Amino acid sequence: MDTYLEKVYVILGNDLQDGFKTLDWTIKKWKPIPISIIILHFTFNVSKEFVYTPFGKLPASSVSEEKLQVLRRYEQEKIEKLLSKYISFCGKVKAEIFKVEKSDEPVQKVIVELISRYKITKLVLELTFLRSSSSWRSKNSISGSFYIHEHKPNFCEFFIICGGKLVFLRGENEDVIMEDDDQGLTKKGNIKSWFGKMLNDHNSSSIKNSHRLSVSSKSQNQWENCAQEIQNYYENLLSSNLGEDKDFAPLEEGVHTITESMNGAVKAENMRSKIDDVQKIIRLNKEEIKANMERSAKAEWALCLCNTRAEELEAKIKEEITNRMEIKKSLDTDTEQIQELITDISENKNKRSSLLELQTELSNKLQLLTLSRLRGEAQLDNAVIARAEMVRDIEELRRQRDVLQRRVEFCKEKDAIGMVTKLNQLSCGYREYSAEDIRLATDGFSERLRLKSGGDWTNVYRGRFHNTAVAVKLVNSDDNLSQEDFLAKVKLLNNIRHPHLLAIMGFCCSEPKSIIFEYLHNGSLRDTLLSSQGNHRKTNRALRWHDRIRIAHEVCSGLVYLHSARPRPIIHGHLTTSNILLDRNLVAKISGLKFGLGQCYDKNDDTRIDIRAFGLLVLNLLTGSNWAGLVDEMMTVDPTALVRVLDEVAGQWPLDLAEELVGIAMKCISINTGPKTKLSAAKVMEEMTGVRKKADEIVGKGGGCEAVVIEGVDAEVPSIFLCPIFQDVMKNPHIAADGFSYELEAIEEWLKMGRDTSPMTNLRLNHTFLIPNHTLRSLIQEWHNKNSILTS
């Protein structure tokens, strides 16, 4: 794509040197900018009344038609050569000729019309162009220049060049101002006199130069022809001037009549003398008048040019003053903004300093956290390495965990120290509760809170005292126990304290009489085994073979404690999977002691009931089935065949341990049918301890300890995820007025029944509005997702 060139229009005269100077000024003026020079050539500058010869301007009527055409061609060739030299002078600057067609309008009007028609933005006029037009005179030249200057459109820049220097127009009667050699401004006097002087100097130099060039370039024959034409021209003039003399004939008779009436050489000499005199007079008068007129026109034109320039300068000065005022206002505004920026920067520096200090502090904390994490990882590694040793202490740790679990179960959202103190008071002893306390704790013995029925206990309800879940057993009214007997039985139960026996937490002497025991969240062993085979809702995972061995060992430990009581052993009498309860950590505790605890039995005979029942319990743990109704049939079966019916839900059983357990179970079951042997609970405990140690060693080595997950839920459920009412993992937790989170269905049912107290604190609720606990719900969902990933 071509680069855009700025167009500069130039009007040049016939003087070659002045034309070169004007072009040189134009090129230097726009030197940094790429321009295109367009030379305007006016073809109608040539007059039809005169013809230009190498010896000057002659009337066209005095030259023959043939010679006139020759001179016209000569003049046209001269113009073409002149324009060609102008184009060559421009050199690398793009230049072209634009010919202006003939017109009857004055030249100045034609130039103004060209400016408007072609949207000329830059016009350069050479001063000698004014004298090159035959129709112009000195005064007319000045007026024409001012006419162009005044009538040109505002978008056009008009420059007048004289001798390669810029002339400034102001007024026609003022002094002319012109550039000097150092590109400064110089005053040249009155514009009319200066303008006339410039035109006369150019005329005289042009005539001399043209005459000298013409003489050197033409032949002698051409000189003679031109001389003859000049002679004829002046003879015509003479005849017109001498018409009043009587010595000459009238002008109509012509030159030939005069020549015939005179004598040869005398007449010719007289005629030449008169012609010379007339020629001198005419030339002097003509030159004087022309010089005066041209000086006046030049002076007026230069004065107008200077006035215009002065007005432009005044306008520019006013504009500059206005710009300076605006710049000052802008500078004041910028100064204010700079001050504001400086203030902002200072504030930002202070903030940055604070942020750096905070960053340093956070970095230090991050380093501390990193060190803590590294220590934790190191401790974790050490824990993994020491895992085998820790297995030996599992039993004791689980006892402690069971106690602590009961104490901190619902202390997550309350003051931990106060809650632990209350739980210690409840667990370290038992207390008496009023009938109203029992009704409040069980929600008026709601069927929703009923746990089980049957046996010596008519009903069992789940209740809550001081944020602690308890099991309330109502005493059968048909027993007709006196107040003293009831208190004696309660005292006896309170004295029986063992980690694997269900602990009593209180009682109520008022009707209905009731005993409060600790509540174990995982229910009975029977329910857990059945859920391993099927789909019990509240059990979170199946029992592993290692857990089953541990449970059997814990039950045996409880039996040893009962049988070793003094002065007489305590017989359970109804040891089944239904009476073995599991806490949140699957720690086994024996419940369902018959209320006739004070009875005496023969030590060698009656303890066999519990030992035989323990054997059946071991078989249930091995096979996951209830063997109570198959005892007689099993006695005829090969004991080793039981290994083939092991419960697969428990995982991959170590066969040697399974065989040992089968052997222990068979010994316990056959205690009544086989030869009388001194098989006691303590003896069975020794064998169970050996089996458990072997199991712990296997688990410590990382073998056979995988968990069988039911319904994709991990057994270690955070207590905060459990609904205090349903005791199940919440799906849509909501916060009540007491600050605790409940399952929406459970708390709505609680409120619909007309209760206005807290299920946790038994205190009156300030309002019944429920707020969704989105945070807890999100945590529960993440916990479910994690367990699902681990399961897959």
Side-chain angles (χ1 to χ4, degrees):
M1 186 175 181
D2 296 338
T3 305
Y4 172 76
L5 300 177
E6 183 75 19
K7 293 184 178 180
V8 180
Y9 291 79
V10 182
I11 301 176
L12 302 175
N14 294 331
D15 188 281
L16 184 63
Q17 297 300 323
D18 285 345
F20 285 167
K21 292 178 180 180
T22 301
L23 290 174
D24 182 65
W25 182 91
T26 302
I27 294 172
K28 290 179 179 180
K29 170 70 175 176
W30 286 278
K31 184 176 181 181
I33 304 173
I35 62 171
S36 172
I37 296 177
I38 300 176
I39 301 174
L40 296 177
H41 175 63
F42 293 82
T43 58
F44 55 90
N45 288 339
V46 181
S47 176
K48 295 180 180 180
E49 298 178 359
F50 297 93
V51 60
Y52 289 89
T53 69
F55 305 102
K57 183 173 68 173
L58 297 177
S61 60
S62 64
V63 184
S64 63
E65 186 66 25
E66 180 180 359
K67 293 181 179 179
L68 182 61
Q69 293 179 356
V70 172
L71 292 175
R72 295 289 189 193
R73 285 197 302 272
Y74 167 76
E75 184 177 355
Q76 186 64 30
E77 291 176 357
K78 180 180 178 182
I79 292 174
E80 294 295 336
K81 290 180 180 179
L82 180 65
L83 295 176
S84 176
K85 291 180 180 179
Y86 285 156
I87 295 296
S88 300
F89 181 81
C90 293
K92 296 181 180 180
V93 179
K94 182 180 179 181
E96 58 180 309
I97 304 298
F98 182 81
K99 295 184 178 181
V100 182
E101 300 297 331
K102 297 180 180 180
S103 175
D104 295 333
E105 295 290 334
V107 177
Q108 62 269 25
K109 291 185 179 180
V110 174
I111 293 175
V112 173
E113 182 182 355
L114 288 175
I115 294 173
S116 301
R117 184 190 307 171
Y118 296 104
K119 304 298 181 182
I120 298 175
T121 58
K122 294 176 176 57
L123 177 63
V124 179
L125 175 66
E126 183 191 340
L127 187 63
T128 58
F129 172 77
L130 301 176
R131 70 174 178 80
S132 64
S133 174
S134 61
S135 62
W136 285 29
R137 296 295 182 265
S138 175
K139 183 176 181 180
N140 293 336
S141 301
I142 298 173
S143 300
S145 301
F146 278 101
Y147 180 87
I148 296 172
H149 178 72
E150 292 176 355
H151 291 81
K152 68 178 181 64
N154 292 331
F155 60 79
C156 178
E157 297 183 59
F158 183 49
F159 305 92
I160 298 178
I161 305 302
C162 179
K165 298 178 181 179
L166 178 64
V167 178
F168 297 92
L169 295 179
R170 289 180 60 84
E172 294 187 9
N173 297 322
E174 297 182 12
D175 294 336
V176 66
I177 298 176
M178 185 176 179
E179 287 182 336
D180 56 15
D181 295 337
D182 297 330
Q183 296 184 352
L185 299 179
T186 304
K187 187 175 180 181
K188 296 295 184 178
N190 186 272
I191 188 170
K192 292 183 178 179
S193 60
W194 176 83
F195 201 80
K197 180 176 180 301
M198 290 299 298
L199 291 179
N200 287 335
D201 293 343
H202 279 285
N203 288 338
S204 61
S205 61
S206 300
I207 292 173
K208 292 179 182 179
N209 292 336
S210 61
H211 178 71
R212 185 163 50 251
L213 292 173
S214 300
V215 171
S216 62
S217 61
K218 299 297 180 177
S219 62
Q220 185 66 29
N221 292 331
Q222 189 176 8
W223 162 257
E224 293 177 356
N225 293 332
C226 291
Q228 184 62 37
E229 296 292 339
I230 294 172
Q231 181 179 355
N232 293 335
Y233 170 68
Y234 286 119
E235 287 177 354
N236 289 334
L237 292 177
L238 183 61
S239 63
S240 63
N241 293 327
L242 299 178
E244 298 177 356
D245 295 341
K246 296 181 179 180
D247 296 335
F248 296 96
L251 182 62
E252 291 82 359
E253 295 180 359
V255 178
H256 297 287
T257 306
I258 296 174
T259 305
E260 292 176 356
S261 63
M262 298 182 68
N263 296 332
V266 176
K267 293 180 179 180
E269 184 67 25
N270 291 332
M271 184 181 64
R272 289 190 183 94
S273 176
K274 291 181 179 180
I275 289 173
D276 291 338
D277 294 338
V278 171
Q279 183 179 5
K280 290 178 181 180
I281 293 171
I282 292 173
R283 185 173 63 251
L284 291 175
N285 292 333
K286 181 179 179 180
E287 290 178 353
E288 183 178 0
I289 293 171
K290 182 178 180 181
N292 292 333
M293 292 179 63
E294 290 180 351
R295 288 190 189 97
S296 177
K298 289 180 181 180
E300 292 177 358
W301 176 79
L303 185 61
C304 181
L305 180 66
C306 293
N307 289 334
T308 303
R309 185 62 177 171
E311 292 175 357
E312 293 177 355
L313 290 176
E314 289 176 358
K316 289 183 178 180
I317 290 172
K318 293 180 180 180
E319 183 179 358
E320 182 67 20
I321 293 173
T322 304
N323 292 336
R324 287 187 178 183
M325 294 297 293
E326 294 178 355
I327 291 173
K328 186 177 183 300
K329 292 180 181 179
S330 177
L331 182 60
D332 294 338
T333 303
D334 293 341
T335 303
E336 294 178 358
Q337 293 178 354
I338 290 172
Q339 291 297 330
E340 293 178 358
L341 289 175
I342 292 173
T343 304
D344 293 340
I345 291 172
S346 178
E347 293 178 356
N348 290 332
K349 285 183 178 179
N350 295 334
K351 291 181 180 179
R352 182 174 176 272
S353 178
S354 300
L355 289 175
L356 290 176
E357 294 178 359
L358 180 60
Q359 181 181 4
T360 303
E361 183 179 355
L362 292 176
S363 177
N364 294 333
K365 290 184 178 180
L366 180 61
Q367 292 179 359
L368 294 176
L369 291 175
T370 303
L371 293 175
S372 299
R373 182 176 62 82
L374 294 176
R375 294 193 195 100
E377 291 177 354
Q379 292 175 0
L380 182 61
D381 294 338
N382 295 332
V384 172
I385 295 173
R387 189 170 183 272
E389 297 178 0
M390 293 174 63
V391 171
R392 301 173 185 175
D393 302 328
I394 287 177
E395 181 179 358
E396 184 63 27
L397 292 176
R398 281 179 176 166
R399 293 195 196 102
Q400 297 176 5
R401 182 177 60 184
D402 183 42
V403 175
L404 291 175
Q405 186 67 31
R406 291 198 306 270
R407 293 179 179 177
V408 300
E409 181 181 1
F410 295 105
C411 297
K412 298 293 184 180
E413 300 172 53
K414 294 292 183 178
D415 185 11
I417 298 176
M419 295 300 295
V420 169
T421 302
K422 293 180 181 179
L423 289 175
N424 286 336
Q425 292 176 355
L426 291 174
S427 60
C428 293
Y430 70 103
R431 56 169 290 188
E432 181 179 358
Y433 294 90
S434 65
E436 182 64 22
D437 293 336
I438 300 299
R439 289 188 180 89
L440 289 175
T442 60
D443 194 14
F445 303 106
S446 173
E447 289 296 326
R448 178 177 56 82
L449 300 177
R450 185 190 293 272
L451 296 179
K452 64 177 292 185
S453 301
D456 294 330
W457 309 99
T458 304
N459 293 304
V460 181
Y461 296 89
R462 185 176 71 245
R464 183 173 298 278
F465 288 113
H466 304 288
N467 300 327
T468 302
V470 296
V472 179
K473 291 187 179 183
L474 300 182
V475 178
N476 193 346
S477 58
D478 296 335
D479 291 343
N480 296 322
L481 290 176
S482 63
Q483 192 76 3
E484 291 77 9
D485 292 339
F486 177 76
L487 292 176
K489 305 306 181 183
V490 170
K491 183 177 180 180
L492 180 60
L493 288 175
N494 182 58
N495 292 331
I496 302 174
R497 294 283 181 175
H498 188 269
H500 299 297
L501 294 178
L502 189 65
I504 184 174
M505 301 182 68
F507 64 95
C508 177
C509 295
S510 304
E511 293 296 334
K513 294 183 176 65
S514 58
I515 302 177
I516 296 90
F517 292 92
E518 61 178 328
Y519 177 76
L520 301 186
H521 294 81
N522 276 327
S524 67
L525 177 60
R526 178 179 179 277
D527 294 338
T528 304
L529 291 176
L530 291 178
S531 67
S532 300
Q533 304 294 333
N535 53 3
H536 195 273
R537 182 172 69 91
K538 293 186 178 180
T539 302
N540 297 322
R541 72 178 185 184
L543 289 175
R544 301 168 295 176
W545 64 266
H546 179 264
D547 289 328
R548 300 188 186 201
I549 294 174
R550 175 182 53 76
I551 290 172
H553 183 269
E554 291 172 348
V555 172
C556 187
S557 174
L559 284 179
V560 171
Y561 175 79
L562 291 176
H563 291 182
S564 61
R566 296 292 181 267
R568 289 171 295 182
I570 299 174
I571 308 301
H572 187 282
H574 193 60
L575 186 64
T576 62
T577 55
S578 298
N579 286 325
I580 304 301
L581 302 181
L582 302 177
D583 67 0
R584 196 183 300 277
N585 299 308
L586 298 179
V587 175
K589 295 196 177 187
I590 301 173
S591 68
L593 286 172
K594 291 184 178 181
F595 205 74
L597 293 172
Q599 288 183 304
C600 298
Y601 296 93
D602 182 80
K603 183 177 180 181
N604 294 326
D605 295 330
D606 299 321
T607 56
R608 297 179 182 181
I609 298 174
D610 291 342
I611 294 175
R612 185 174 183 274
F614 177 76
L616 292 175
L617 186 142
V618 173
L619 291 179
N620 289 336
L621 291 172
L622 285 168
T623 62
S625 304
N626 188 0
W627 285 79
L630 303 177
V631 177
D632 295 336
E633 180 181 356
M634 185 196 65
M635 298 302 295
T636 61
V637 180
D638 183 6
T640 58
L642 292 176
V643 178
R644 292 194 294 269
V645 294
L646 294 176
D647 190 2
E648 295 179 355
V649 179
Q652 188 66 36
W653 284 85
L655 294 181
D656 55 344
L657 296 183
E659 291 177 356
E660 288 188 37
L661 287 176
V662 170
I664 294 173
M666 297 304 295
K667 288 180 183 179
C668 294
I669 292 173
S670 61
I671 190 172
N672 291 333
T673 59
K676 289 187 177 182
T677 58
K678 292 183 180 181
L679 183 62
S680 64
K683 184 67 174 178
V684 176
M685 182 64 181
E686 292 179 2
E687 297 183 11
M688 286 300 304
T689 301
V691 174
R692 183 175 178 181
K693 287 183 178 180
K694 293 179 182 179
D696 290 342
E697 291 177 358
I698 294 175
V699 174
K701 295 178 181 178
C705 59
E706 69 282 356
V708 180
V709 180
I710 293 179
E711 298 182 356
V713 182
D714 189 5
E716 298 296 332
V717 182
S719 60
I720 197 173
F721 292 173
L722 299 177
C723 174
I725 299 176
F726 282 170
Q727 290 300 316
D728 197 4
V729 178
M730 290 182 282
K731 297 180 181 179
N732 190 8
H734 278 64
I735 302 174
D738 58 357
F740 290 91
S741 296
Y742 304 89
E743 181 66 40
L744 180 61
E745 179 184 354
I747 191 63
E748 284 182 346
E749 182 180 354
W750 175 276
L751 296 174
K752 285 179 181 179
M753 295 178 69
R755 299 182 180 88
D756 58 355
T757 58
S758 169
M760 296 290 291
T761 63
N762 291 328
L763 299 177
R764 186 180 182 84
L765 296 174
N766 295 330
H767 56 80
T768 58
F769 297 108
L770 302 176
I771 303 174
N773 194 340
H774 297 295
T775 303
L776 182 58
R777 183 177 182 180
S778 176
L779 294 174
I780 294 173
Q781 186 63 38
E782 290 180 1
W783 178 75
H784 280 301
N785 295 337
K786 178 181 178 182
N787 289 327
S788 298
I789 294 172
L790 294 175
T791 302
S792 60

